[in-house]
Amino acid sequence: MTGFRNKGLNGVGPVPSRRAALKLIGAGALAAGGTRFALATTDDDEVLTEAKVLRDPDVPVAGNPDGNISIIEWSDYNCPYCRKLEPELRQVVQDDGKVRLVLKDWPILGPVSVTAARIALAAKFQGKYHQAHDAMMGVSSRLTESRINELLASVGVDMDRLKSDLAAHGKDIDVVLKRNNDQAEAFGFRGTPSFIVGKYRVPGVLSMNEFEQVIADARKAKMN
């Protein structure tokens, strides 16, 4: 199940089942001769290099920054499936101890999602991205701009500095969000959450056990 993006006024595409997503994991490996990371689907191929997908210096990282496997997550703060999955994914990352969790903000569920993503990335300039991210992912109701401000203030974000950083770095933040979007579209993702695990494409929600298995498979693929 995924939180699907709007496609104009005509609705959204079909939601792939978990079984379909798992099938794509097996068939859509991005390693050993499979689809390359450098996918030429935009005018700027540089945003789709392996370095930009896995190790974009402008994208926050959780888990073990020196881990031997990366999970790259594209998520939206207003996506209920992202919120539901968040604690389980973090538990898997913590239990493993050798996973880099790359957090790519992909605001596709409306203007408030864009506001939330921009604010979270602006909070990074005062070292508060993870607090902002966790606060917005930790709610059960749809976000509003006033609720976002309340949540960030409650976790110690300096709101005056946040406004200043948004003004100073807004264009750079928008470039990051565009790059995240270009990558997600190049990989054929249809909604949030979507993942790359190692070099496997995972378009949808997995259970803890399924994530553990995909991580193990990704490590094996890396060794081959």
Side-chain angles (χ1 to χ4, degrees):
M1 294 183 292
T2 57
F4 275 75
R5 65 185 307 166
N6 290 331
K7 290 187 173 181
L9 300 176
N10 296 320
V12 298
V15 180
S17 67
R18 177 176 297 173
R19 183 175 182 181
L22 288 172
K23 182 177 180 182
L24 285 170
I25 291 168
L30 300 179
T35 306
R36 294 176 295 125
F37 269 108
L39 298 171
T41 59
T42 71
D43 293 333
D44 185 3
D45 292 345
E46 284 301 311
V47 303
L48 299 171
T49 63
E50 185 169 350
K52 282 296 185 183
V53 173
L54 292 178
R55 299 187 181 275
D56 188 331
D58 297 319
V59 172
V61 174
N64 183 346
D66 299 316
N68 57 18
I69 285 293
S70 295
I71 296 178
I72 304 96
E73 178 184 17
W74 283 263
S75 65
D76 185 306
Y77 291 109
N78 261 325
C79 167
Y81 305 110
C82 299
R83 293 172 180 168
K84 181 178 180 180
L85 178 68
E86 181 82 1
E88 293 188 357
L89 177 59
R90 292 303 183 99
Q91 189 64 53
V92 169
V93 170
Q94 179 179 321
D95 290 348
D96 184 283
K98 296 181 180 180
V99 173
R100 296 174 65 249
L101 179 58
V102 182
L103 302 170
K104 291 186 184 276
D105 292 291
W106 189 25
I108 57 177
L109 298 177
V112 175
S113 292
V114 175
T115 297
R118 296 183 84 246
I119 284 176
L121 289 171
K124 184 182 71 169
F125 292 96
Q126 58 179 283
K128 295 286 187 177
Y129 173 86
H130 292 290
Q131 290 88 335
H133 175 92
D134 293 349
M136 289 189 285
M137 279 294 182
V139 297
S140 57
S141 58
R142 191 166 181 84
L143 293 172
T144 63
E145 290 191 31
S146 60
R147 181 62 173 144
I148 290 169
N149 292 334
E150 291 173 2
L151 289 167
L152 269 61
S154 73
V155 294
V157 174
D158 183 329
M159 301 306 290
D160 289 333
R161 177 172 176 182
L162 185 75
K163 292 178 183 178
S164 176
D165 286 333
L166 269 174
H169 303 288
K171 290 183 179 179
D172 294 332
I173 289 170
D174 290 340
V175 168
V176 174
L177 293 177
K178 182 180 185 303
R179 189 156 64 234
N180 291 350
N181 180 75
D182 288 346
Q183 291 169 355
E185 291 189 344
F187 285 120
F189 294 140
R190 301 286 302 280
T192 53
S194 291
F195 303 89
I196 299 292
V197 180
K199 292 190 177 182
Y200 286 92
R201 176 179 174 273
V202 186
V205 177
L206 302 182
S207 68
M208 290 179 69
N209 288 340
E210 289 164 343
F211 262 117
E212 290 169 355
Q213 184 60 57
V214 176
I215 290 168
D217 290 345
R219 284 199 172 104
K220 290 179 183 177
K222 186 177 181 180
M223 295 174 64
N224 294 333

